[in-house]
Each structure stands twice: as structure tokens, then as C-alpha cells.
């Protein structure tokens, strides 16, 4: 399996403009500093409901926005943050335009989940050195370039002169035998400077609406259930993995959404059996983009009960023993995956925001000569030969939708 970088993105549209002279708006020793930024009118869609505060930037990551003597009101008007002493860029994408035709674009690593790699962000025209970032830190990528350079397009629109360009980030793609996925944030920013004689406007809009997922359900000759853990740590020192399996999503809990790389806690359980000698084994677990377990693309999660070794983010098999509190621990299997999205096989553009998880299962009966343990080292699992497991002891179980979201 291969891993490599691609360019594409979840679309983020930012249209910002301000009637100012060109200058550098961060704390670097750069020339051409002139007038301060003037206020700009901002029109924005409502932010997602969360406790995220884009102005909570640690001191060592702060980059100055505007001049040193800027007021709090002026700082807010140019879409920056003020801490009482300093105006600085927040954990977002900030686009500013100058009177003499310059773009200033500042991309924060916290603009996406997972955090975007600031070194991977670039303009479309990457051959011209003037189009490279003027500075890149671990927290921000900063661009300043002429509105007539770096592939910027020009048009006239209802009394405005409009300059348009866009940024995108690279992301890593894992290529498997039956499908390809990514767990990296893929980010694309379309931005404009709109000039008129009477107005300066700014618009920021994120577009990534996903439908709610369905509940988890399954059935088979051997009755097996696949469900997703929903528990969360409530006390200090709590183990997240243990808490996750304390409760499970049901019909009333939906919709359930996950962001890239967020853990998805999976449990497969034998239903309505009380024989303590039964051992549930997972033969193969994989993911698809729709409910059909045979559909393409697919991504392997477990093979012979062991993590798919060609996945950079290996599936974690969770041990279950007598300390789990379960009545029949051998009737359960648990594993954790990191959320991903499928990408197109031809151009590796992200295409599927839904994931369905499937597992083929088998029941094993241990004996004095045969163990049912599935080992994940050099020795392959020691279970009953496939030909000796009857159909009544096998089952295919599938989840409902797990949906990718950006927030």
C-alpha cells in the first residue's frame, strides 16, 4: 500500500476586502509599512455551536495584526483578536485586502479538524517564489502577494472590481487493494478582494453540510450485534477507552458524527447465548462507503482478527477479560478505528463522507488440543479450520452510517 500527498479540499469560501495601503500586518522585520488597516464591513454565516474560541492563542504563537498602536475596536473591525495589549490573528482563516492591490491571507493550523499542516498550504501558482508564504510557523501560514499575480483572476461585477484566488492544502492518501482513504484535513479556500467606490465588504462562509446517520443494527443466523460506544470520561484519571464502552448509541442518540481521526469505538457481541465456553472471533472487518458490504471502495480494518498492517493508523484491538464486568467476556470483541473518508481512485479527491463498518464473525469452541485465541504476532491465529466451522456459527454484521463532519 502506498501513502502520498494530494491537493484538494472541503470548500471554504472567504470574501474579504478593506480599503487600505499595502503593508505587512504581522510582527516581522519587513519593509513597505504604510497606513493602518481601515475598518471593513463583515457579513458571515453563523459559526458552529461549540466552545471553540478562535482568540485563545498561546503567547508564543501570536502574530501581530495591524499596527502596534491599534485600538481594540479597530482590531475587531479587521477580523483580528485583541487581548488588552496586542492585536493578533486568531485560530481561523483571515483574508485582508489593501488599497493598492495586495492580498494578505493568514491560515491557522486550528482552522480545521484535525489541524491542518501549515507547511502544506499553498497557492495554485506555486512556481513563482513571490507566491510562497512570507512566513510559516507551526501555528500559522502567512501569504502576501499582488492581486495581479499568482494566478489571480479579474472580473467586474455589479459596480465592483473583483480579484479572486484560492489556497489548498496537501493531504496524505493511503492506497489499498480495494479502495483509498485519507485521515488528513483537506482544505481549500476560495477568496476575493472586491473594490468599489463606496463600500468594503467581507464574507466568510463554510460549506460542508452532512445528513444525520442511521442507527447501528445487524442480524444473522448466529445473532451478532455491532454497536458503537458513546461513553465519555467524567472524572479525572478516567481511561477514555473504558468509558467509551460504558454506554452505546441507540436510536434516540442519532445523529452521530465524527471528525477525521476521531476514535470510533466498535463492539461486536453474540446475542442470546449463555454458554460461557463460546468464543467470538472476528475473521475480517472492513469499511465501505455504502451499506452493501461487497461494494467498492473498501478499506480493511482487521484481517484474521488483527489490525490491517498497511494502515498508518492501525486499528486498536481492545483486550477483554474478567475485569471488564461483562457476564460473558468471550462473547464480545472490541476495537477502535480512527475516522477517515474515502477518496476517488482516479484523482484521489475526497468523495465519500459516510462509512459503514462490516465484520465477518465466527464462533469457536476451545478444546484441549485447540485454542480459540487470535494472535497478532508472527504466528497466525489458532482457531478451528475454516472448513470445520458450520454456517450456523458464522455471521456477517454491519453498522449503520458513521458520518464525517468538520466540527
Amino acid at each position: 500500500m502506498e501513502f502520498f500527498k494530494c491537493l484538494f479540499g472541503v470548500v471554504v469560501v472567504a470574501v474579504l476586502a478593506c480599503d487600505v495601503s499595502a503593508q505587512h500586518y504581522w510582527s516581522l522585520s519587513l519593509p513597505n509599512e504604510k497606513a493602518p488597516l481601515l475598518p471593513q464591513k463583515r457579513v458571515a454565516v453563523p459559526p458552529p455551536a461549540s466552545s471553540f474560541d478562535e482568540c485563545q492563542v498561546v503567547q508564543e504563537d501570536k502574530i501581530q495584526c495591524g499596527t502596534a498602536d491599534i485600538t481594540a475596536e479597530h482590531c475587531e473591525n479587521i477580523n483580528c483578536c485583541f487581548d488588552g495589549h496586542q492585536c493578533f490573528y486568531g485560530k481561523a482563516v483571515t483574508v485582508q485586502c489593501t488599497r493598492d492591490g495586495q492580498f494578505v491571507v493568514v491560515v491557522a493550523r486550528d482552522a480545521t479538524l484535525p489541524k491542518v499542516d501549515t507547511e502544506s498550504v499553498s497557492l495554485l501558482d506555486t512556481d513563482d517564489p513571490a507566491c510562497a508564504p512570507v512566513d510559516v510557523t507551526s501555528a500559522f501560514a502567512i501569504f502576501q502577494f499582488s492581486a495581479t499575480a499568482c494566478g489571480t483572476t479579474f472580473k467586474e461585477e455589479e459596480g465592483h472590481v473583483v480579484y479572486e484566488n484560492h489556497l489548498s492544502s496537501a493531504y496524505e492518501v493511503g492506497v489499498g487493494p480495494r479502495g483509498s482513504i485519507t485521515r488528513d484535513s483537506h482544505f481549500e479556500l476560495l477568496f476575493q478582494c472586491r473594490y468599489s467606490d463606496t463600500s468594503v465588504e467581507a464574507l466568510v462562509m463554510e460549506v460542508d453540510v452532512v445528513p444525520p446517520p442511521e442507527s447501528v443494527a445487524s442480524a444473522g443466523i448466529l445473532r451478532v450485534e455491532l454497536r458503537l460506544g458513546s461513553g465519555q470520561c467524567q472524572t479525572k484519571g478516567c481511561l477514555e477507552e473504558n468509558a467509551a464502552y460504558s454506554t452505546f448509541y441507540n436510536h434516540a442518540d442519532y445523529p452521530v458524527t465524527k471528525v477525521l481521526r476521531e476514535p470510533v469505538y466498535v463492539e461486536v457481541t453474540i446475542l442470546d447465548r449463555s454458554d460461557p465456553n463460546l468464543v467470538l472471533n472476528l475473521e475480517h472487518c472492513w469499511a465501505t462507503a455504502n451499506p452493501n458490504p461487497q461494494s467498492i471502495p473498501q478499506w480493511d480494518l482487521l484481517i484474521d482478527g488483527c489490525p490491517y498492517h498497511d494502515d498508518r493508523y492501525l486499528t486498536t484491538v481492545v483486550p477483554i477479560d474478567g475485569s471488564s464486568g461483562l457476564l460473558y467476556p468471550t462473547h464480545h470483541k472490541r476495537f477502535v478505528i480512527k475516522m477517515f473518508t474515502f477518496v476517488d481512485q482516479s484523482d484521489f479527491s475526497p468523495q465519500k463522507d459516510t462509512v459503514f463498518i462490516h465484520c465477518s464473525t465466527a464462533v469457536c469452541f476451545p478444546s484441549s488440543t485447540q485454542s480459540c485465541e487470535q494472535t497478532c504476532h508472527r504466528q497466525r491465529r489458532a482457531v478451528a479450520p475454516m472448513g470445520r466451522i458450520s454456517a450456523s456459527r458464522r455471521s456477517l454484521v454491519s453498522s449503520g452510517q458513521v458520518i464525517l463532519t468538520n466540527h
Side-chain angles (χ1 to χ4, degrees):
M1 185 192 67
E2 301 175 73
F3 280 90
F4 55 90
K5 295 286 185 178
C6 288
L7 288 174
F8 196 67
V10 173
V11 175
V12 182
V13 181
V15 183
L16 301 114
C18 59
D19 185 19
V20 300
S21 297
Q23 62 170 323
H24 298 279
Y25 305 112
W26 49 92
S27 52
L28 301 175
S29 299
L30 296 172
N32 195 32
E33 296 196 1
K34 298 182 182 177
L37 283 163
L38 297 180
Q40 55 185 332
K41 186 172 77 174
R42 182 186 180 97
V43 182
V45 295
S50 73
S51 58
F52 177 77
D53 185 350
E54 67 180 44
C55 290
Q56 293 298 315
V57 180
V58 297
Q59 187 61 39
E60 56 267 29
D61 287 340
K62 288 181 180 178
I63 294 177
Q64 182 176 314
C65 175
T67 59
D69 59 352
I70 191 172
T71 65
E73 181 181 5
H74 191 182
C75 179
E76 182 178 349
N77 286 339
I78 60 174
N79 301 323
C80 287
C81 301
F82 195 79
D83 61 6
H85 305 283
Q86 179 185 5
C87 183
F88 57 93
Y89 290 97
K91 297 179 179 179
V93 178
T94 305
V95 180
Q96 296 165 331
C97 306
T98 70
R99 181 186 304 149
D100 55 353
Q102 295 278 319
F103 279 111
V104 177
V105 185
V106 181
V107 180
R109 69 182 172 201
D110 294 290
T112 65
L113 284 174
K115 297 175 181 179
V116 69
D117 179 2
T118 54
E119 293 187 355
S120 76
V121 179
S122 64
L123 288 161
L124 278 184
D125 186 352
T126 56
D127 295 331
D128 186 346
C131 302
V134 295
D135 192 37
V136 177
T137 71
S138 61
F140 293 93
I142 306 163
F143 296 81
Q144 180 172 345
F145 57 95
S146 170
T148 59
C150 304
T152 303
T153 61
F154 165 84
K155 61 183 177 181
E156 294 185 13
E157 184 179 282
E158 297 180 351
H160 288 81
V161 176
V162 181
Y163 296 90
E164 182 175 286
N165 206 322
H166 79 263
L167 294 162
S168 58
S169 67
Y171 56 93
E172 190 175 70
V173 170
V175 180
R178 294 180 302 280
S180 302
I181 67 168
T182 185
R183 289 186 176 92
D184 288 341
S185 293
H186 26 281
F187 169 86
E188 185 169 346
L189 177 73
L190 173 68
F191 53 94
Q192 296 179 345
C193 283
R194 303 173 65 91
Y195 297 95
S196 75
D197 294 334
T198 59
S199 67
V200 177
E201 297 180 355
L203 170 66
V204 178
M205 180 174 63
E206 287 186 293
V207 182
D208 189 46
V209 180
V210 293
E214 298 172 357
S215 60
V216 176
S218 64
I221 299 175
L222 169 68
R223 293 198 62 218
V224 178
E225 179 182 45
L226 189 155
R227 53 187 185 168
L228 304 182
S230 63
Q232 296 181 344
C233 283
Q234 303 295 335
T235 59
K236 185 177 181 180
C238 165
L239 294 177
E240 185 176 349
E241 196 171 86
N242 293 343
Y245 292 107
S246 62
T247 58
F248 296 86
Y249 292 113
N250 55 46
H251 292 282
D253 295 320
Y254 287 100
V256 176
T257 55
K258 300 287 181 180
V259 300
L260 288 171
R261 300 186 199 165
E262 184 178 354
V264 179
Y265 297 93
V266 184
E267 180 179 90
V268 183
T269 307
I270 301 174
L271 298 178
D272 305 325
R273 299 293 180 93
S274 58
D275 185 346
N277 295 314
L278 289 180
V279 177
L280 174 68
N281 280 335
L282 303 180
E283 296 182 327
H284 180 205
C285 294
W286 67 101
T288 61
N290 64 57
N292 181 1
Q294 307 305 323
S295 64
I296 299 294
Q298 296 182 10
W299 188 258
D300 288 328
L301 305 173
L302 296 175
I303 298 177
D304 291 339
C306 301
Y308 174 47
H309 62 82
D310 279 336
D311 191 336
R312 190 178 295 269
Y313 294 83
L314 289 178
T315 299
T316 301
V317 177
V318 181
I320 302 177
D321 54 26
S323 65
S324 65
L326 297 169
L327 183 59
Y328 304 111
T330 60
H331 292 194
H332 303 257
K333 290 291 184 183
R334 291 171 174 173
F335 60 91
V336 185
I337 67 171
K338 295 295 182 68
M339 186 62 182
F340 58 86
T341 186
F342 284 99
V343 300
D344 187 88
Q345 286 287 78
S346 59
D347 61 7
F348 301 112
S349 58
Q351 62 167 352
K352 299 293 184 182
D353 290 337
T354 61
V355 171
F356 292 81
I357 300 169
H358 315 274
C359 286
S360 58
T361 67
V363 170
C364 179
F365 295 89
S367 67
S368 57
T369 59
Q370 181 173 270
S371 169
C372 291
E373 181 183 0
Q374 291 178 296
T375 57
C376 296
H377 304 293
R378 290 184 179 180
Q379 182 181 357
R380 303 299 278 176
R381 62 175 189 156
V383 298
M386 293 292 290
R388 295 176 58 187
I389 301 177
S390 68
S392 63
R393 299 180 189 174
R394 284 208 190 95
S395 182
L396 172 65
V397 62
S398 299
S399 77
Q401 285 179 301
V402 181
I403 293 187
L404 175 68
T405 182
N406 278 339
H407 306 295

